[in-house]
Amino acid sequence: MNYIDPATGVTYSTNTARWCSDTGGYLNLTHGTGLKRGDIKASCYSVWRYAKAIGVDDKHAVAMGEGWTPLIDGEWRGASVRFKLEFMMPTGSFKDRGMTVMVSYLKSRGIDHVLEDSSGNAGASLSAYAAAAGMRCRILVPETASYPKIAQIAACGADVVTIRGTRQDVADAALRMSREIFYASHNWQPFFAEGTKTLAYELWEQLGFKAPDNVVVPLGYGSNVAGCEIGFNELVRNGEIKKMPRIFGVQAANCAPYFNAWQAGVEHLVPTEITPTIAEGIASSKPTRVAEALRAVRNSGGSMVAVSEDEIVAALGVLARKGFYVEPTSAAAAAGLTQLLASGAIKPKESTVLVLTGTGLKASEKIGELLKLKARDLSA
Ligand SMILES: *Cc1c(COP(=O)(O)O)cnc(C)c1O
Protein backbone atom coordinates (compact mmCIF):
# COMPACT_ATOMS: atom_id res chain seq x y z
CA MET A 1 0.00 0.00 0.00
CA ASN A 2 1.18 3.52 -0.79
CA TYR A 3 -0.09 6.99 -0.06
CA ILE A 4 -1.63 8.68 -3.10
CA ASP A 5 -2.54 12.34 -3.52
CA PRO A 6 -5.84 12.15 -5.42
CA ALA A 7 -5.42 15.72 -6.70
CA THR A 8 -2.12 15.06 -8.51
CA GLY A 9 -1.83 11.26 -8.66
CA VAL A 10 1.59 11.46 -6.94
CA THR A 11 2.30 8.47 -4.69
CA TYR A 12 4.50 8.27 -1.59
CA SER A 13 5.78 5.29 0.33
CA THR A 14 4.08 4.63 3.67
CA ASN A 15 7.49 3.74 5.13
CA THR A 16 7.62 7.33 6.34
CA ALA A 17 4.55 8.74 8.10
CA ARG A 18 3.11 11.88 6.54
CA TRP A 19 -0.21 13.63 6.87
CA CYS A 20 -0.32 15.52 3.56
CA SER A 21 1.33 15.54 0.16
CA ASP A 22 4.24 17.81 -0.79
CA THR A 23 1.68 20.22 -2.23
CA GLY A 24 -0.44 20.19 0.94
CA GLY A 25 -3.23 17.97 -0.33
CA TYR A 26 -4.81 15.14 1.65
CA LEU A 27 -3.61 11.62 0.99
CA ASN A 28 -5.51 8.40 0.43
CA LEU A 29 -4.16 4.86 0.36
CA THR A 30 -3.83 2.81 -2.80
CA HIS A 31 -6.10 -0.25 -2.95
CA GLY A 32 -5.33 -3.03 -0.52
CA THR A 33 -5.98 -6.70 -1.19
CA GLY A 34 -8.80 -7.02 1.35
CA LEU A 35 -9.54 -10.54 2.54
CA LYS A 36 -11.71 -13.58 2.01
CA ARG A 37 -13.72 -15.23 4.75
CA GLY A 38 -11.08 -17.92 5.33
CA ASP A 39 -8.57 -15.20 6.28
CA ILE A 40 -10.49 -14.04 9.35
CA LYS A 41 -8.60 -14.55 12.65
CA ALA A 42 -11.51 -16.23 14.36
CA SER A 43 -9.92 -16.23 17.82
CA CYS A 44 -9.42 -12.45 17.83
CA TYR A 45 -12.40 -10.37 18.95
CA SER A 46 -11.38 -6.92 17.81
CA VAL A 47 -10.71 -4.91 14.67
CA TRP A 48 -7.56 -7.04 14.26
CA ARG A 49 -9.75 -10.02 13.46
CA TYR A 50 -9.45 -8.63 9.92
CA ALA A 51 -5.68 -8.07 10.14
CA LYS A 52 -5.14 -9.63 6.70
CA ALA A 53 -7.06 -6.72 5.15
CA ILE A 54 -5.40 -3.99 7.25
CA GLY A 55 -2.36 -2.26 5.80
CA VAL A 56 -0.43 -2.36 9.09
CA ASP A 57 1.33 -5.46 10.41
CA ASP A 58 -0.60 -6.63 13.48
CA LYS A 59 2.63 -7.35 15.32
CA HIS A 60 2.66 -3.56 15.84
CA ALA A 61 -1.00 -3.45 16.95
CA VAL A 62 -1.84 -1.07 19.78
CA ALA A 63 -5.14 -2.71 20.67
CA MET A 64 -7.60 -2.51 23.56
CA GLY A 65 -10.45 -4.73 22.40
CA GLU A 66 -11.99 -2.18 20.02
CA GLY A 67 -14.50 -3.33 17.41
CA TRP A 68 -16.49 -6.58 17.24
CA THR A 69 -19.41 -4.54 18.59
CA PRO A 70 -22.91 -6.00 19.00
CA LEU A 71 -25.42 -5.93 16.13
CA ILE A 72 -28.89 -5.96 17.69
CA ASP A 73 -32.22 -6.76 15.97
CA GLY A 74 -34.92 -4.20 16.63
CA GLU A 75 -37.43 -1.90 15.04
CA TRP A 76 -37.52 1.76 14.16
CA ARG A 77 -40.73 3.52 13.16
CA GLY A 78 -42.32 0.23 12.11
CA ALA A 79 -39.33 -1.04 10.14
CA SER A 80 -37.07 -3.87 11.18
CA VAL A 81 -33.62 -2.42 11.76
CA ARG A 82 -30.34 -3.67 13.13
CA PHE A 83 -28.61 -1.39 15.58
CA LYS A 84 -24.82 -1.47 15.43
CA LEU A 85 -23.55 -0.52 18.86
CA GLU A 86 -20.36 1.30 17.96
CA PHE A 87 -20.53 3.22 21.22
CA MET A 88 -19.44 0.00 22.97
CA MET A 89 -15.74 0.62 22.44
CA PRO A 90 -12.93 1.31 24.94
CA THR A 91 -13.35 5.11 24.88
CA GLY A 92 -17.08 5.19 24.17
CA SER A 93 -17.19 5.96 20.47
CA PHE A 94 -16.52 4.38 17.09
CA LYS A 95 -13.36 6.49 16.80
CA ASP A 96 -11.41 3.63 18.44
CA ARG A 97 -12.03 1.54 15.31
CA GLY A 98 -9.93 3.94 13.27
CA MET A 99 -7.57 5.02 16.02
CA THR A 100 -6.20 1.55 16.79
CA VAL A 101 -5.00 1.25 13.18
CA MET A 102 -3.79 4.84 12.85
CA VAL A 103 -1.80 4.79 16.10
CA SER A 104 -0.37 1.33 15.38
CA TYR A 105 0.84 2.61 12.01
CA LEU A 106 2.34 5.84 13.42
CA LYS A 107 4.07 3.96 16.24
CA SER A 108 5.54 1.46 13.78
CA ARG A 109 6.99 4.43 11.84
CA GLY A 110 8.69 5.89 14.91
CA ILE A 111 6.26 8.73 15.69
CA ASP A 112 6.41 9.43 19.44
CA HIS A 113 4.50 12.74 19.76
CA VAL A 114 1.12 13.41 18.12
CA LEU A 115 -1.14 16.42 17.66
CA GLU A 116 -4.87 16.34 16.89
CA ASP A 117 -7.84 18.68 16.89
CA SER A 118 -11.17 17.23 17.94
CA SER A 119 -14.63 18.10 19.13
CA GLY A 120 -14.10 15.47 21.79
CA ASN A 121 -14.43 11.80 20.87
CA ALA A 122 -11.50 11.63 18.48
CA GLY A 123 -9.33 13.41 21.03
CA ALA A 124 -10.50 11.04 23.75
CA SER A 125 -9.71 8.09 21.53
CA LEU A 126 -6.30 9.34 20.39
CA SER A 127 -5.25 10.26 23.92
CA ALA A 128 -6.14 6.75 25.11
CA TYR A 129 -4.35 4.99 22.24
CA ALA A 130 -1.35 7.32 22.53
CA ALA A 131 -1.19 6.44 26.23
CA ALA A 132 -1.35 2.73 25.40
CA ALA A 133 1.39 3.22 22.80
CA GLY A 134 3.60 5.28 25.11
CA MET A 135 3.38 8.39 22.88
CA ARG A 136 3.10 12.00 23.94
CA CYS A 137 -0.07 13.67 22.78
CA ARG A 138 -1.48 17.19 22.42
CA ILE A 139 -5.20 17.68 21.71
CA LEU A 140 -6.83 20.97 20.70
CA VAL A 141 -10.54 21.17 21.53
CA PRO A 142 -13.19 23.83 21.04
CA GLU A 143 -13.99 25.73 24.20
CA THR A 144 -17.56 24.46 23.88
CA ALA A 145 -16.69 20.72 23.85
CA SER A 146 -18.47 18.62 26.49
CA TYR A 147 -16.53 18.71 29.75
CA PRO A 148 -16.58 14.91 30.22
CA LYS A 149 -14.75 14.52 26.91
CA ILE A 150 -12.12 17.09 27.91
CA ALA A 151 -11.70 15.35 31.28
CA GLN A 152 -11.33 12.01 29.51
CA ILE A 153 -8.61 13.40 27.25
CA ALA A 154 -6.71 15.00 30.11
CA ALA A 155 -7.02 11.92 32.35
CA CYS A 156 -5.26 9.83 29.70
CA GLY A 157 -2.29 12.14 30.05
CA ALA A 158 -2.68 14.32 26.96
CA ASP A 159 -1.85 17.99 26.93
CA VAL A 160 -5.32 19.52 26.32
CA VAL A 161 -5.55 23.00 24.84
CA THR A 162 -8.95 24.68 24.50
CA ILE A 163 -9.36 27.05 21.55
CA ARG A 164 -11.94 29.84 21.37
CA GLY A 165 -14.07 29.99 18.23
CA THR A 166 -15.62 27.50 15.85
CA ARG A 167 -14.65 23.90 15.13
CA GLN A 168 -12.85 25.24 12.05
CA ASP A 169 -10.81 27.68 14.18
CA VAL A 170 -9.60 24.67 16.18
CA ALA A 171 -8.57 22.84 13.00
CA ASP A 172 -6.75 25.96 11.77
CA ALA A 173 -4.85 26.29 15.06
CA ALA A 174 -3.76 22.65 14.77
CA LEU A 175 -2.50 23.21 11.23
CA ARG A 176 -0.31 26.02 12.53
CA MET A 177 1.15 23.77 15.26
CA SER A 178 1.73 20.92 12.81
CA ARG A 179 5.17 22.36 12.07
CA GLU A 180 6.33 21.32 15.56
CA ILE A 181 4.38 18.13 16.34
CA PHE A 182 3.31 15.33 13.95
CA TYR A 183 -0.23 16.18 12.90
CA ALA A 184 -2.12 12.97 13.58
CA SER A 185 -5.50 14.29 12.49
CA HIS A 186 -7.86 11.39 11.92
CA ASN A 187 -9.53 13.55 9.26
CA TRP A 188 -6.33 13.73 7.22
CA GLN A 189 -4.49 10.50 8.04
CA PRO A 190 -5.81 7.75 5.71
CA PHE A 191 -4.86 4.96 8.13
CA PHE A 192 -7.85 6.08 10.21
CA ALA A 193 -10.31 5.03 7.48
CA GLU A 194 -8.17 1.90 7.06
CA GLY A 195 -9.48 1.07 10.55
CA THR A 196 -13.06 2.26 10.13
CA LYS A 197 -13.38 0.03 7.06
CA THR A 198 -13.55 -2.93 9.44
CA LEU A 199 -17.14 -1.80 10.15
CA ALA A 200 -17.98 -3.19 6.71
CA TYR A 201 -16.18 -6.48 7.42
CA GLU A 202 -17.95 -6.86 10.76
CA LEU A 203 -21.41 -6.20 9.36
CA TRP A 204 -20.74 -8.68 6.56
CA GLU A 205 -19.63 -11.37 8.99
CA GLN A 206 -22.36 -10.68 11.57
CA LEU A 207 -25.02 -10.89 8.85
CA GLY A 208 -23.83 -14.36 7.87
CA PHE A 209 -21.37 -13.14 5.23
CA LYS A 210 -23.90 -10.92 3.51
CA ALA A 211 -24.03 -7.19 2.98
CA PRO A 212 -27.11 -5.38 4.30
CA ASP A 213 -29.28 -3.42 1.84
CA ASN A 214 -28.74 -0.11 3.65
CA VAL A 215 -26.29 1.39 6.13
CA VAL A 216 -27.29 4.67 7.81
CA VAL A 217 -24.48 6.66 9.45
CA PRO A 218 -24.03 10.13 10.93
CA LEU A 219 -21.83 12.24 8.66
CA GLY A 220 -19.39 14.91 9.79
CA TYR A 221 -16.06 14.50 8.02
CA GLY A 222 -17.02 11.12 6.62
CA SER A 223 -14.99 8.31 8.16
CA ASN A 224 -17.96 5.97 8.51
CA VAL A 225 -18.96 6.65 4.91
CA ALA A 226 -15.36 6.12 3.77
CA GLY A 227 -15.01 3.00 5.91
CA CYS A 228 -18.15 1.43 4.41
CA GLU A 229 -17.10 2.37 0.90
CA ILE A 230 -13.57 0.97 1.23
CA GLY A 231 -14.48 -2.17 3.19
CA PHE A 232 -17.51 -3.23 1.16
CA ASN A 233 -15.64 -2.51 -2.09
CA GLU A 234 -12.83 -4.82 -1.02
CA LEU A 235 -15.44 -7.50 -0.34
CA VAL A 236 -16.96 -6.96 -3.80
CA ARG A 237 -13.52 -7.16 -5.43
CA ASN A 238 -12.82 -10.43 -3.59
CA GLY A 239 -16.15 -11.89 -4.71
CA GLU A 240 -17.42 -12.16 -1.11
CA ILE A 241 -20.50 -9.96 -1.80
CA LYS A 242 -22.22 -9.14 -5.09
CA LYS A 243 -22.85 -5.47 -4.51
CA MET A 244 -22.33 -2.59 -2.12
CA PRO A 245 -25.05 -1.72 0.35
CA ARG A 246 -26.60 1.69 -0.13
CA ILE A 247 -24.86 4.19 2.15
CA PHE A 248 -26.90 7.02 3.69
CA GLY A 249 -25.10 9.95 5.31
CA VAL A 250 -27.02 12.02 7.86
CA GLN A 251 -26.05 15.61 8.65
CA ALA A 252 -27.43 18.13 11.12
CA ALA A 253 -29.36 20.73 9.09
CA ASN A 254 -27.59 23.47 11.09
CA CYS A 255 -24.23 22.29 9.74
CA ALA A 256 -24.81 20.49 6.44
CA PRO A 257 -22.05 21.23 3.90
CA TYR A 258 -22.26 17.74 2.37
CA PHE A 259 -26.03 17.83 2.18
CA ASN A 260 -25.95 21.20 0.41
CA ALA A 261 -23.38 19.97 -2.12
CA TRP A 262 -25.51 16.87 -2.63
CA GLN A 263 -28.62 18.98 -3.26
CA ALA A 264 -26.66 21.16 -5.70
CA GLY A 265 -25.51 18.03 -7.54
CA VAL A 266 -21.82 18.97 -7.35
CA GLU A 267 -18.70 17.33 -5.89
CA HIS A 268 -17.34 20.39 -4.10
CA LEU A 269 -18.52 22.50 -1.18
CA VAL A 270 -21.03 25.27 -1.90
CA PRO A 271 -21.61 28.33 0.31
CA THR A 272 -23.43 27.05 3.38
CA GLU A 273 -24.73 28.84 6.43
CA ILE A 274 -23.46 27.18 9.61
CA THR A 275 -25.20 27.50 12.99
CA PRO A 276 -24.57 25.56 16.23
CA THR A 277 -25.96 22.04 16.58
CA ILE A 278 -26.38 19.67 19.51
CA ALA A 279 -24.84 17.01 17.25
CA GLU A 280 -21.33 18.18 18.11
CA GLY A 281 -19.63 15.11 16.58
CA ILE A 282 -20.83 16.06 13.09
CA ALA A 283 -20.51 19.86 13.39
CA SER A 284 -17.88 19.91 10.64
CA SER A 285 -18.20 22.89 8.31
CA LYS A 286 -15.20 22.14 6.08
CA PRO A 287 -14.73 18.39 5.63
CA THR A 288 -11.53 17.03 4.04
CA ARG A 289 -12.43 14.37 1.46
CA VAL A 290 -15.49 16.06 0.00
CA ALA A 291 -15.59 14.52 -3.47
CA GLU A 292 -14.82 11.03 -2.11
CA ALA A 293 -17.68 11.03 0.39
CA LEU A 294 -20.19 12.43 -2.12
CA ARG A 295 -19.11 9.89 -4.73
CA ALA A 296 -19.16 7.00 -2.27
CA VAL A 297 -22.75 7.75 -1.31
CA ARG A 298 -23.86 8.35 -4.92
CA ASN A 299 -22.12 5.26 -6.34
CA SER A 300 -23.71 3.11 -3.65
CA GLY A 301 -27.20 4.31 -4.61
CA GLY A 302 -27.73 5.97 -1.23
CA SER A 303 -28.30 9.61 -0.40
CA MET A 304 -27.61 12.38 2.07
CA VAL A 305 -30.23 13.81 4.40
CA ALA A 306 -30.26 16.65 6.90
CA VAL A 307 -32.18 16.64 10.18
CA SER A 308 -33.34 19.49 12.40
CA GLU A 309 -32.43 19.94 16.05
CA ASP A 310 -36.00 18.98 17.05
CA GLU A 311 -35.82 15.79 15.00
CA ILE A 312 -32.52 14.91 16.71
CA VAL A 313 -33.98 15.42 20.20
CA ALA A 314 -37.06 13.34 19.33
CA ALA A 315 -34.89 10.48 18.03
CA LEU A 316 -32.64 10.73 21.10
CA GLY A 317 -35.67 10.20 23.34
CA VAL A 318 -37.00 7.26 21.32
CA LEU A 319 -33.59 5.55 21.27
CA ALA A 320 -33.14 6.00 25.01
CA ARG A 321 -36.56 4.47 25.64
CA LYS A 322 -35.40 1.42 23.73
CA GLY A 323 -32.40 1.30 26.06
CA PHE A 324 -29.89 2.84 23.64
CA TYR A 325 -28.34 5.68 25.62
CA VAL A 326 -26.38 7.51 22.93
CA GLU A 327 -25.17 11.05 22.38
CA PRO A 328 -27.16 13.51 20.24
CA THR A 329 -24.77 13.04 17.29
CA SER A 330 -25.73 9.36 17.09
CA ALA A 331 -29.41 10.19 17.43
CA ALA A 332 -29.06 12.33 14.30
CA ALA A 333 -28.57 9.15 12.27
CA ALA A 334 -31.77 7.69 13.71
CA ALA A 335 -33.61 10.93 12.85
CA GLY A 336 -32.27 10.55 9.32
CA LEU A 337 -33.61 7.00 9.16
CA THR A 338 -37.04 8.32 10.19
CA GLN A 339 -36.95 10.67 7.18
CA LEU A 340 -35.71 7.96 4.83
CA LEU A 341 -38.52 5.61 5.88
CA ALA A 342 -41.12 8.39 5.58
CA SER A 343 -39.97 9.30 2.07
CA GLY A 344 -39.90 5.66 0.98
CA ALA A 345 -36.18 5.81 0.16
CA ILE A 346 -35.75 2.92 2.62
CA LYS A 347 -38.46 0.24 2.72
CA PRO A 348 -39.41 -1.46 6.01
CA LYS A 349 -38.69 -4.95 4.66
CA GLU A 350 -35.14 -4.17 3.52
CA SER A 351 -32.19 -5.10 5.69
CA THR A 352 -31.04 -1.84 7.27
CA VAL A 353 -28.24 -1.13 9.72
CA LEU A 354 -28.34 1.98 11.88
CA VAL A 355 -24.88 2.80 13.20
CA LEU A 356 -24.91 4.22 16.75
CA THR A 357 -21.54 5.90 17.07
CA GLY A 358 -21.17 7.42 20.53
CA THR A 359 -22.27 6.78 24.11
CA GLY A 360 -24.64 9.09 25.96
CA LEU A 361 -22.56 8.81 29.11
CA LYS A 362 -20.30 11.70 28.09
CA ALA A 363 -23.31 13.89 27.28
CA SER A 364 -25.60 13.25 30.23
CA GLU A 365 -25.86 16.87 31.27
CA LYS A 366 -26.96 17.93 27.77
CA ILE A 367 -29.26 14.95 27.41
CA GLY A 368 -30.91 15.81 30.72
CA GLU A 369 -31.62 19.34 29.50
CA LEU A 370 -32.75 18.27 26.04
CA LEU A 371 -35.17 15.62 27.29
CA LYS A 372 -36.22 17.82 30.26
CA LEU A 373 -35.53 14.96 32.62
CA LYS A 374 -36.20 15.17 36.32
CA ALA A 375 -36.43 12.67 39.13
CA ARG A 376 -39.53 12.54 41.32
CA ASP A 377 -38.97 13.40 44.94
CA LEU A 378 -40.77 10.84 47.11
CA SER A 379 -39.01 11.70 50.37
CA ALA A 380 -41.65 14.08 51.74
C1 LIG B 1 -16.75 11.83 15.05
C2 LIG B 1 -18.13 11.36 15.28
C3 LIG B 1 -19.03 11.21 14.21
C4 LIG B 1 -18.71 11.66 12.81
O1 LIG B 1 -17.69 10.94 12.16
P1 LIG B 1 -17.07 11.55 10.84
O2 LIG B 1 -15.91 10.73 10.52
O3 LIG B 1 -16.67 12.98 11.17
O4 LIG B 1 -18.12 11.55 9.80
C5 LIG B 1 -20.26 10.65 14.47
N1 LIG B 1 -20.62 10.28 15.73
C6 LIG B 1 -19.79 10.42 16.76
C7 LIG B 1 -20.24 10.00 18.12
C8 LIG B 1 -18.51 10.96 16.59
O5 LIG B 1 -17.70 11.09 17.64
Side-chain angles (χ1 to χ4, degrees):
M1 250 177 205
N2 284 311
Y3 287 122
I4 179 164
D5 177 347
T8 59
V10 174
T11 61
Y12 303 89
S13 164
T14 53
N15 287 342
T16 306
R18 37 163 77 232
W19 66 269
C20 66
S21 71
D22 286 345
T23 48
Y26 63 83
L27 295 166
N28 292 333
L29 293 173
T30 51
H31 283 318
T33 54
L35 59 66
K36 290 180 164 288
R37 68 188 74 177
D39 299 321
I40 294 170
K41 279 196 173 173
S43 62
C44 175
Y45 295 97
S46 82
V47 159
W48 298 92
R49 186 175 179 83
Y50 308 106
K52 177 86 191 295
I54 298 173
V56 180
D57 191 329
D58 62 347
K59 75 171 188 272
H60 300 297
V62 180
M64 297 193 286
E66 58 291 311
W68 200 242
T69 57
L71 183 66
I72 303 296
D73 283 340
E75 74 74 47
W76 186 258
R77 304 300 191 193
S80 69
V81 165
R82 290 187 173 90
F83 297 90
K84 180 65 169 159
L85 309 192
E86 292 287 273
F87 59 87
M88 290 179 62
M89 297 241 192
T91 74
S93 85
F94 85 94
K95 295 291 192 317
D96 298 347
R97 191 182 281 288
M99 215 54 86
T100 182
V101 173
M102 188 184 98
V103 168
S104 301
Y105 164 72
L106 294 177
K107 187 180 184 202
S108 75
R109 296 303 184 266
I111 302 292
D112 61 3
H113 193 181
V114 288
L115 167 72
E116 159 90 296
D117 52 292
S118 163
S119 63
N121 283 332
S125 182
L126 179 56
S127 62
Y129 281 85
M135 289 178 179
R136 290 163 66 210
C137 178
R138 178 184 293 175
I139 307 287
L140 309 191
V141 296
E143 214 179 29
T144 53
S146 303
Y147 177 72
K149 292 178 183 169
I150 298 179
Q152 187 182 13
I153 296 168
C156 291
D159 172 20
V160 187
V161 182
T162 55
I163 304 284
R164 198 160 303 152
T166 63
R167 178 69 185 80
Q168 191 55 44
D169 294 328
V170 183
D172 292 342
L175 282 177
R176 286 192 298 276
M177 275 181 210
S178 67
R179 267 163 270 172
E180 303 143 49
I181 307 175
F182 184 85
Y183 188 38
S185 165
H186 67 291
N187 294 318
W188 281 80
Q189 180 49 250
F191 279 96
F192 186 78
E194 182 69 2
T196 58
K197 82 179 183 188
T198 58
L199 170 63
Y201 282 97
E202 252 177 61
L203 291 175
W204 161 70
E205 188 178 355
Q206 289 175 323
L207 292 169
F209 299 107
K210 282 199 199 70
D213 294 319
N214 311 302
V215 184
V216 181
V217 299
L219 170 59
Y221 276 85
S223 66
N224 280 296
V225 167
C228 285
E229 133 98 354
I230 298 168
F232 283 118
N233 256 315
E234 288 177 357
L235 288 166
V236 170
R237 283 204 304 278
N238 278 321
E240 286 289 348
I241 57 173
K242 288 211 179 59
K243 68 179 188 61
M244 296 281 293
R246 297 191 296 167
I247 304 169
F248 294 89
V250 183
Q251 295 223 279
N254 284 4
C255 184
Y258 275 121
F259 176 72
N260 287 340
W262 176 266
Q263 293 288 86
V266 295
E267 287 193 346
H268 53 82
L269 296 182
V270 295
T272 296
E273 197 199 334
I274 306 291
T275 52
T277 171
I278 53 172
E280 64 177 17
I282 50 174
S284 320
S285 60
K286 218 170 112 194
T288 313
R289 293 178 176 80
V290 177
E292 271 95 335
L294 287 159
R295 235 175 272 152
V297 168
R298 181 164 356 91
N299 292 345
S300 78
S303 68
M304 300 215 178
V305 295
V307 294
S308 70
E309 301 294 288
D310 286 349
E311 290 175 289
I312 296 171
V313 175
L316 182 69
V318 177
L319 281 170
R321 284 178 184 85
K322 290 178 182 292
F324 298 125
Y325 188 62
V326 297
E327 67 171 85
T329 305
S330 304
L337 177 55
T338 303
Q339 276 193 18
L340 290 161
L341 287 164
S343 71
I346 289 183
K347 305 273 186 302
K349 285 273 173 300
E350 292 169 350
S351 117
T352 298
V353 172
L354 178 64
V355 179
L356 297 177
T357 48
T359 178
L361 292 174
K362 303 184 206 183
S364 284
E365 211 162 316
K366 250 179 223 165
I367 292 172
E369 282 166 28
L370 292 170
L371 301 182
K372 302 189 173 53
L373 305 177
K374 26 183 194 312
R376 281 204 297 150
D377 183 359
L378 294 181
S379 53

